[in-house]
Amino acid sequence: MAEKVNKQMYPSAPTNKQPSRDEESATSLSDQELRKKKRIKLGIYIAAFVVFQVLVITAFSLTVMRVKTPKVRLGTVLLQDVKTGNQTSPSFDISFTTQVRIKNTNFGPFKYESTNATFTYQGVTVGQVSIPKGKVGFRSTKKVTVTVTVNSNALPISTTSTTLGSEMGAEVLTLNSHAKLGGKVELMFVTKKKKAAEMNCTMPIDLSTKAVQLNCD
Ligand SMILES: *[C@@H]1O[C@H](CO)[C@@H](O)[C@H](O)[C@H]1NC(C)=O
Ligand SMILES: *[C@@H]1O[C@H](CO)[C@@H](O)[C@H](O)[C@H]1NC(C)=O
Ligand SMILES: *[C@@H]1O[C@H](CO)[C@@H](O)[C@H](O)[C@H]1NC(C)=O
């Protein structure tokens, strides 16, 4: 209605409108360009945001969310009681204390099941100690003090008469220690991943100086 009234009131309106239409179309063109520019800007922002997010997530998954296998090592070995035979009648009966150190470098706790750490001589178990189940906090090391007794009772004659005999002569007894701690690493209270920490150390015991070396891999 209003339009009709306007047209009636201003019959010359169409001719008048002609240039204004051009103006309109000109302004609407620049409006379109503006909108296009805005859209491009928005697109750039979104793309930048997406790239930023991808970088953040990648950095996060490479550091915080990456599940690293915890490490197990033995701490300093303190010999308590050392009884050894000689080269012709080789034997040993040794007790010592040490620490089983479980190092967790994850950003979340590592819960492990109970296990046995075994001590071997030439592949034969000569002693073992149980490690109760437990938990290592995020980015920390748990130390479990253990007392171990190893003796040559279980060794076959073939081993004692050859290898052990010569080691007694050289006064260096080489034992191995092994333990595997199976458990789970928990990240961000949601992700749980199975991980097994394994220890494999050789420990040459110098029988003359009573010094123990530790080589763990
Ligand atoms: C080695 O030990 C055995 C048993 O203790 C002993 O009879 C023997 O004399 C010892 N031999 C040497 C060379 O010391
Ligand atoms: C540890 O060794 C003892 C004695 O040999 C055995 O009864 C026990 O089941 C072992 N524990 C584990 C977790 O292997
Ligand atoms: C432990 O390490 C020794 C050498 O360092 C290797 O010969 C042996 O196979 C390893 N054992 C395990 C169970 O990984």
Side-chain angles (χ1 to χ4, degrees):
M1 276 288 279
E3 255 180 44
K4 266 183 186 172
V5 169
N6 273 345
K7 271 175 189 169
Q8 276 168 354
M9 279 178 85
Y10 307 103
S12 57
T15 43
N16 279 351
K17 262 186 182 173
Q18 208 55 41
S20 77
R21 244 183 219 156
D22 277 353
E23 269 172 30
E24 250 182 24
S25 63
T27 54
S28 71
L29 230 169
S30 65
D31 261 7
Q32 265 182 9
E33 267 175 12
L34 247 151
R35 259 185 243 125
K36 198 177 165 190
K37 270 184 186 167
K38 266 187 184 168
R39 269 206 305 276
I40 291 173
K41 249 186 180 176
L42 191 68
I44 290 172
Y45 286 149
I46 291 172
F49 185 71
V50 167
V51 168
F52 178 72
Q53 284 296 304
V54 167
L55 286 178
V56 167
I57 290 166
T58 309
F60 197 68
S61 53
L62 284 179
T63 55
V64 175
M65 294 307 285
R66 207 181 96 213
V67 183
K68 284 150 275 184
T69 306
K71 292 191 172 79
V72 200
R73 294 272 182 282
L74 282 185
T76 311
V77 174
L78 295 170
L79 295 178
Q80 302 294 309
D81 191 19
V82 183
K83 292 190 203 88
T84 52
N86 54 34
Q87 201 169 351
T88 46
S89 177
S91 71
F92 63 86
D93 191 344
I94 299 168
S95 70
F96 58 86
T97 59
T98 184
Q99 281 178 335
V100 177
R101 294 165 176 241
I102 308 142
K103 188 179 177 184
N104 175 27
T105 56
N106 290 293
F107 287 87
F110 171 58
K111 286 179 191 162
Y112 56 89
E113 293 303 313
S114 65
T115 190
N116 287 328
T118 57
F119 294 82
T120 56
Y121 180 79
Q122 296 288 309
V124 180
T125 301
V126 292
Q128 74 174 17
V129 67
S130 82
I131 301 168
K133 71 173 180 184
K135 180 178 150 181
V136 195
F138 87 104
R139 297 185 69 75
S140 61
T141 303
K142 181 167 180 161
K143 294 160 195 151
V144 182
T145 303
V146 290
T147 303
V148 185
T149 304
V150 290
N151 61 57
S152 55
N153 297 350
L155 295 177
I157 299 291
S158 57
T159 307
T160 47
S161 60
T162 55
T163 326
L164 190 57
S166 63
E167 284 206 356
M168 293 277 120
E171 293 200 274
V172 177
L173 179 68
T174 305
L175 297 179
N176 281 284
S177 66
H178 179 255
K180 191 172 179 178
L181 273 80
K184 282 182 189 136
V185 172
E186 196 180 292
L187 289 179
M188 298 284 121
F189 309 105
V190 281
T191 317
K192 274 185 187 172
K193 197 145 190 202
K194 274 190 183 178
K195 280 284 169 190
E198 202 160 357
M199 170 180 83
N200 185 19
C201 305
T202 52
M203 36 187 292
I205 304 171
D206 191 317
L207 298 174
S208 56
T209 63
K210 306 276 189 280
V212 184
Q213 262 185 56
L214 270 176
N215 308 310
C216 300
D217 49 48

